[in-house]
Amino acid sequence: MTELKHSDAVSLRGIRKRYGAVTAVAGVDLRIGPGEVVALLGPNGAGKSTTVDIMLGLRAPDTGQAELFGTRPRAALDAGSVGAVLQTGELIPGARVGELLTAIAALQPHPLPIGQVAETAGVADLLKRRTDRLSGGQAQRVRFALALLGDPSLLVLDEPTAGLDVASRRDFWASVRGFAAAGRTVLFSTHYLEEADEIADRIVLIDRGRVVADGPTTAIRAMAAARTVRCTLPGADRAALAELPGATNVEVHGDAVLVRTTDSDATLRALVTGYPQARDIEVAAAALTDAFLALTRPDAPAEVA
Ligand SMILES: Nc1ncnc2c1ncn2[C@@H]1O[C@H](COP(=O)(O)OP(=O)(O)OP(=O)(O)O)[C@@H](O)[C@H]1O
Ligand SMILES: [Mg+2]
């Protein structure tokens, strides 16, 4: 691992990118410190890949600046400071996996031993296999091996577990954790809150080309665990309902009551017991986007900067 004395592993400032009428990235600012493990979480088309590609210098932004370790992305890549697994991109067809790893290692200023990388990425038994005869999951593991070869300080992974089965996913994340445990930086994109929750220290939610929330995983998890309980309750008393166990917020609109709660089971039991006249009771998971948006409100919990 190269020692790079710079405060930010990743710095994106005012990044915008349009494709014709489509605004893929609508003004993203993002700083990631060394040693952070960050999930870029967002739905299809949110702008994750575009952001990642700009971060890596593979696409030029319309406006804004991207730096890795205080330098231009391409310079950081050439220095072997950055390894990436991209969502698109083919492995050179016809080559054998071992040959491919050897060739790419030769381009790296400070490569790791191929055997070690193959072991870490779970491709040790694939070295003699041709790259065009790999399954989707195997090819993805080879891409991971290629990303690790240069012994990078920063790993950028765009939906790295797409196509991996459960066991491969688990092994993959164990390797990433091992990588991060040495104080290195990881940024990965995903659609899955569970994956972000399990792996990342920090979650950045991106939606329609913007960062709509950015906070510690613990805070995001708490928000995402929230439920809403709705019911019809004539003459509802907002203050009394706020005393229901687990309730964090109560809205009353005429006979319609909405209780946000961190413990819907307890809330529901107390509601049914204490208010037998309540009807049309519904419990729903708070929408993830709502949870994230709640984080960005001015009255959001203080620990979420
Ligand atoms: N080369 C391109 N030409 C035109 N439009 C593009 C191009 N690449 C991306 N887009 C559009 O930009 C938007 C953001 O796409 P992007 O691939 O960054 O999203 P994403 O968050 O990575 O989505 P996914 O989760 O599906 O991978 C989408 O509306 C997409 O259709
Ligand atoms: Mg993508």
Side-chain angles (χ1 to χ4, degrees):
M1 174 168 57
T2 335
E3 286 306 316
L4 285 158
K5 305 266 185 284
H6 196 276
S7 52
D8 290 331
V10 175
S11 165
L12 300 181
R13 292 190 296 272
I15 300 288
R16 290 174 176 273
K17 179 74 178 177
R18 289 177 64 138
Y19 297 106
V22 177
T23 300
V25 182
V28 163
D29 292 280
L30 181 64
R31 293 174 58 175
I32 299 175
E36 282 196 273
V37 178
V38 179
L40 202 55
L41 179 64
N44 285 135
K48 301 181 299 296
S49 294
T50 306
T51 302
V52 162
D53 289 355
I54 290 171
M55 183 184 299
L56 294 171
L58 303 174
R59 290 190 219 196
D62 297 335
T63 59
Q65 260 195 313
E67 285 186 349
L68 301 176
F69 300 108
T71 171
R72 284 182 308 109
R74 292 313 284 255
L77 260 74
D78 291 346
S81 313
V82 186
V85 175
L86 298 177
Q87 196 171 12
T88 52
E90 287 198 11
L91 298 168
I92 300 166
R96 295 188 194 277
V97 170
E99 293 165 358
L100 181 61
L101 292 177
T102 307
I104 300 297
L107 301 174
Q108 301 296 330
H110 42 84
L112 291 172
I114 292 187
Q116 181 188 330
V117 169
E119 198 58 46
T120 307
V123 300
D125 53 353
L126 298 174
L127 293 177
K128 296 208 159 58
R129 195 76 74 80
R130 283 176 48 160
T131 53
D132 45 10
R133 306 229 172 115
L134 298 170
S135 75
Q138 289 168 339
Q140 194 64 353
R141 281 188 265 151
V142 172
R143 288 192 192 97
F144 182 47
L146 292 170
L148 292 174
L149 265 183
D151 193 17
S153 305
L154 167 68
L155 258 187
V156 178
L157 310 164
D158 193 5
E159 288 182 45
T161 58
L164 296 189
D165 61 25
V166 175
S168 305
R169 231 169 240 252
R170 194 188 50 224
D171 293 348
F172 173 82
W173 287 122
S175 304
V176 172
R177 278 206 202 85
F179 176 90
R184 291 176 284 200
T185 313
V186 180
L187 172 77
F188 68 94
S189 75
T190 178
H191 297 140
Y192 305 111
L193 177 68
E194 301 71 36
E195 203 164 76
D197 182 19
E198 219 172 297
I199 313 298
D201 316 317
R202 172 179 163 199
I203 297 178
V204 175
L205 181 80
I206 180 161
D207 192 24
R208 280 170 280 179
R210 288 176 203 282
V211 173
V212 294
D214 182 349
T217 302
T218 45
I220 309 283
R221 186 195 301 136
M223 296 304 299
R227 297 279 186 278
T228 57
V229 177
R230 292 171 191 274
C231 68
T232 304
L233 181 59
D237 174 354
R238 189 177 167 282
L241 289 166
E243 298 300 317
L244 288 169
T248 53
N249 180 267
V250 177
E251 290 174 29
V252 176
H253 303 287
D255 292 353
V257 171
L258 186 150
V259 181
R260 284 180 219 283
T261 171
T262 53
D263 185 350
S264 56
D265 294 342
T267 305
L268 198 56
R269 277 193 206 100
L271 179 73
V272 173
T273 317
Y275 302 87
Q277 69 278 31
R279 54 194 163 79
D280 307 329
I281 300 173
E282 273 177 29
V283 181
L288 184 56
T289 307
D290 289 349
F292 279 105
L293 289 174
L295 277 175
T296 57
R297 285 194 315 237
D299 58 351
E303 73 267 24
V304 182

